[in-house]
Amino acid sequence: MPWTTGQLKTAIENIIKDRLLIIASNREPYIHIYKEGKIEYIRPVGGAVTALDPVMKVCKGIWVAYGTGTADREVVDKSNEIKVPPENPKYTLRRIWLTKDEENGYYYGYSNKCIWPLFHMAYTRPVFNEVDWAYYKIVNQKFADTILEIVKKKEAFIWIQDYHLMLLSKLLKEKNKNLITAHFLHIPWPNPEAFRICPQKIEILEGLLANDLLGFHIRYHCGNFMETVRLELEARVDLEKTSVTYGGHETLIRAFPISVDYDQISKEAESEEVKTEMDRLRDEFSIDSKVFIMVGLDRIDYTKGIIEKIKAVDRFLEKFPEYKGKVIFIQKGGLSRIHIDKYKELNDRINSLVEEVNWKHSTEKWRPIVFVRKHMTRREIVGLYKIADACLVSPLHDGMNLVCKEFIAAKNDLNGVLILSQFTGAARELNDAIFVNPYDRESFALAIKEAIDLPRKEKERRMKNLRTVVNENNIYKWAGKFLEELKKI
Ligand code: F6P
């Protein structure tokens, strides 16, 4: 039976008991911005916040994150806190403010010019820079100070998210040994060969090993981490228990494949509002009912394989020109980390490639690729999934990838095919997808043809199986299993 919010609530009551629950992440779940003189909020699209917001609604803890919105300071109280979701408050968001230099060094610099490419191994060279590292430490300390101030003498469980805060647990424990800390890494852990070039590797490993529990999406990343520790530190790595003991402290290493709120998305997909949205989207993109619609939704990031998707569509149309006018690929791409050159270059490259491919294949009334840049609401996104005949998810390397799971949750009519990169964590669970190697343009193009040709019955059979997997392993199970592990500590 799939985990429910009720079950998660009970698990929290039994495990967390009276302890304060604090989540710490770089990205905040709600961003307040000024739009045409008014304050509005938007929801960021990253996997970590997509997954954790439904969990926090049940857990009722405090979420500490960096406030990035233009109107973020306007809406918080004296303690920099605001209850969220804004229209139906369920938990507290505590915002941390960073200076421009801190944001540059810690977020754009160390986190995203060094750790992100290093851990994803997508052939983008990591940049190691002492100043960025200094800011990374400063900001981790800032998070630690805020959390210690919130906790005071209370008992607390601190649940740290992602690669921006890998020193946080150690900084917290140095000041308060009674805290229980756990860290979930939302990106892959690379093999030891790749990681060993990092000049700050020992401090990072020591920071992570201050946690009581350390989680990754898949066992392969746990294996990579333990092998890294074995090679880099004088630590006891227990493969039976999957734990590491370092400096007398034991850290459990576990895999927890993250997921989405299946029920919520599935319900939303059935709503009248989404049906209206589907008609609106068909109108907006002038799509005839006979056209085969492919969609993609990504942050504009070189790990996501967006260029590879466009090239595959191009190759598909070269190979099967009879499909001109009969297929469309709608790619939603949110701008991301735009102050980093590699991201700027990628954005420009995408613009020119879309232009090139559209120019090459378009007819008077039809263009094969529509690139959507504007922010889309949840309803629009679910509408997009619903009108899609296929979803193209093609990262070159991804810890998990939640777009594919959201697509599956939205497909309650079973009418859709998932084309999935074999280099995502999700590929280990979603066996009924059509798998692609995004680096291989030829077979990617053939996978598109396979998706189009799949008989309706086979499509439904596959989607049914995929939906069973995502329903069974929903976000509440992910959180519940993570918290249950704490009982062993
Ligand atoms: O899958 C989660 C994730 O990839 C994070 O690792 C990352 O922080 C986030 O989504 C999106 O990136 P950003 O926060 O830099 O916009």
Side-chain angles (χ1 to χ4, degrees), residues 26-27 46-48 107 112 116 162-164 186-187 299 337:
N26 167 69
R27 184 62 67 201
Y107 175 74
N112 288 317
W116 183 269
D162 238 339
Y163 57 100
H164 316 81
H186 293 259
I187 63 173
R299 271 186 315 103
R337 307 175 189 169

Side-chain angles (χ1 to χ4, degrees), residues 310 313-314 328-331 354 357-358 367-371:
I310 300 170
V313 173
D314 175 30
I328 189 164
F329 173 46
I330 306 171
Q331 171 71 44
V354 169
V357 175
N358 276 341
R367 282 177 312 152
I369 299 171
V370 177
F371 202 90

